[in-house]
Amino acid sequence: MASISLYCSIFILISLLPHSTESLCTTKPLIFNFGDSNSDTGGLVAGLGYSISPPYGRTFFRRSTGRLTDGRLLIDFLCESVKASFLRPYMESLGSTFSNGANFAVVGSSTLPKSIPFALNVQIMQFLHFKSKSSELLASGSQEMINDNGFQRALYMIDIGQNDIADAFAKKYSYAQVVKRIPLVLAEIKNAIKSIHDNGGRKFWVHNTGPLGCLPQKLWLVNPSSKELDPHGCISSYNSAANLFNEGLRHLCAQLRSEMKDATIIYVDIYAIKYDLIANAAKYGFSNPLMACCGFGGPPYNYNINVTCSHGGAQACNEGSKFISWDGIHLTEAANSILASKILSQQYSTPRVPFDFFCH
């Protein structure tokens, strides 16, 4: 009976997902990614030697890879959709020639302060060094490095801003003070896109930020009263700030399209997808949408900042359990898979173009 129930759940889940399309890439996909833990494929571990222990990585890789989830991240699924290898961290010195691009994202990154590792501005400086070094090696006879044509046709992905908002709230800034910082964050993203464009990049894929107020970590830390919560149990003020950031980012992308007419800039509404997962969790086969799979304390959030996933007495849910949140901050592979499928449907992109537009 249990196996029949599992098969039924999988069938229902698959039927709810948008149909994925076969990649139409005619050239080798090249991707450069900039961001935070939502897309870090091992940058923190490579850059600082920081240890991320099991059960991180248990679902797909069967080992810890530096990703803050149980398996694959959204960016991994997007790479798979164009038959590209998983992006290696820029700071990983062994095991990659970076012939398919590089990942500059690092756990904890924000846009401000701009000079502190590994802020977005620092990631852009790392990219410019990477590009310069690639040209130098090509000139000396290397056949493996990406050339100027490759950098021009590559996709540049940006997924950052969540930590800027979260850190401001963590510092006990008022809602008005948090909102006042948003234009400064957007200015850094604008500078990053312009810098890449000035150095030949023409294809951009920009993610907005998710519903910060729905993270089990934030809910545990704030311990909000019922009047501070929205109908789905998320912190209203946190989500409101995220939405204001997203609206500003949407306008920024529109502005840059008009200024850089030779560029393609896609804005992707990650917030809408993630909030739909929370609001309609049962439809997707998830239970306890505001509770972490790996953590401590049990319901309602299974989170305790003093006993986080892979530390102390923290325990993970049974493998195969249907949770949205892995560790109170980051999504499970199961949730990331749905997120990727929704993105690949084009329904959440402005303008609506297939993800593989950059490698046709």
Side-chain angles (χ1 to χ4, degrees):
M1 288 297 291
S3 60
I4 293 173
S5 176
L6 176 61
Y7 291 140
C8 288
S9 297
I10 293 172
F11 176 79
I12 292 170
L13 178 59
I14 291 172
S15 69
L16 288 167
L17 297 178
H19 295 296
S20 60
T21 55
E22 188 71 19
S23 171
L24 299 176
C25 284
T26 56
T27 60
K28 181 179 180 178
L30 300 173
I31 301 173
F32 294 96
N33 181 70
F34 307 87
D36 52 31
S37 59
N38 289 314
S39 58
D40 180 356
T41 53
L44 179 69
V45 174
L48 298 179
Y50 190 86
S51 177
I52 297 175
S53 305
Y56 285 97
R58 72 178 187 178
T59 300
F60 178 79
F61 300 99
R62 312 313 264 177
R63 60 183 175 83
S64 177
T65 63
R67 292 164 173 81
L68 291 188
T69 183
D70 57 325
R72 286 165 289 184
L73 297 168
L74 168 61
I75 193 169
D76 295 318
F77 285 106
L78 294 180
C79 284
E80 285 182 337
S81 77
V82 291
K83 297 180 170 57
S85 302
F86 294 149
L87 284 188
R88 297 298 295 269
Y90 165 71
M91 291 182 286
E92 185 62 77
S93 57
L94 301 174
S96 179
T97 60
F98 301 103
S99 60
N100 67 318
N103 191 358
F104 297 87
V106 177
V107 170
S109 294
S110 55
T111 68
L112 297 169
K114 64 184 295 180
S115 60
I116 293 179
F118 292 94
L120 178 59
N121 176 61
V122 174
Q123 293 180 28
I124 295 299
M125 290 193 294
Q126 290 177 319
F127 165 72
L128 295 178
H129 173 74
F130 177 92
K131 185 173 184 289
S132 174
K133 193 68 175 179
S134 296
S135 298
E136 182 183 314
L137 291 171
L138 279 170
S140 65
S142 173
Q143 301 298 311
E144 296 182 321
M145 307 311 297
I146 299 170
N147 59 23
D148 285 346
N149 176 262
F151 282 108
Q152 185 167 339
R153 64 181 176 82
L155 182 68
Y156 296 88
M157 300 180 66
I158 297 176
D159 186 341
I160 203 163
Q162 176 175 308
N163 288 327
D164 288 280
I165 301 171
D167 291 349
F169 277 117
K171 291 174 181 175
K172 305 300 182 184
Y173 285 12
S174 67
Y175 177 78
Q177 289 174 316
V178 173
V179 170
K180 191 175 181 180
R181 288 175 57 86
I182 289 175
L184 303 176
V185 175
L186 295 172
E188 289 303 312
I189 295 174
K190 179 180 181 179
N191 290 340
I193 293 174
K194 284 202 160 190
S195 181
I196 295 169
H197 183 264
D198 288 345
N199 285 274
R202 294 295 180 266
K203 300 171 183 179
F204 299 88
W205 189 268
V206 183
H207 290 173
N208 72 10
T209 200
L212 185 66
C214 299
L215 299 182
Q217 180 214 43
K218 305 305 177 194
L219 288 159
W220 185 88
L221 287 170
V222 175
N223 190 24
S225 64
S226 58
K227 67 179 182 180
E228 296 175 288
L229 299 176
D230 71 10
H232 299 290
C234 305
I235 305 170
S236 298
S237 59
Y238 281 40
N239 282 357
S240 176
N243 274 315
L244 285 174
F245 168 81
N246 291 341
E247 186 62 16
L249 185 62
R250 186 178 68 83
H251 280 292
L252 172 61
C253 289
Q255 174 195 337
L256 291 174
R257 280 187 214 106
S258 66
E259 294 179 8
M260 306 187 307
K261 297 189 183 300
D262 60 346
T264 302
I265 303 171
I266 313 301
Y267 168 84
V268 185
D269 193 357
I270 298 293
Y271 184 101
I273 304 173
K274 288 185 174 180
Y275 195 75
D276 177 52
L277 278 180
I278 300 291
N280 300 293
K283 185 178 78 170
Y284 295 101
F286 293 109
S287 58
N288 303 310
L290 302 179
M291 186 168 147
C293 164
C294 184
F296 180 83
Y301 308 125
N302 194 37
Y303 184 87
N304 186 311
I305 199 167
N306 301 306
V307 192
T308 55
C309 183
S310 84
H311 294 92
Q315 293 187 335
C317 60
N318 292 331
E319 198 164 344
S321 301
K322 298 294 291 182
F323 279 77
I324 293 173
S325 178
W326 166 245
D327 58 5
I329 305 171
H330 309 96
L331 296 185
T332 59
E333 170 169 296
N336 280 322
S337 174
I338 296 175
L339 189 59
S341 183
K342 295 270 192 179
I343 288 173
L344 293 172
S345 76
Q346 304 178 39
Q347 295 175 27
Y348 298 87
S349 301
T350 304
R352 291 192 178 187
V353 298
F355 176 72
D356 60 7
F357 80 97
F358 69 100
C359 52
H360 285 179

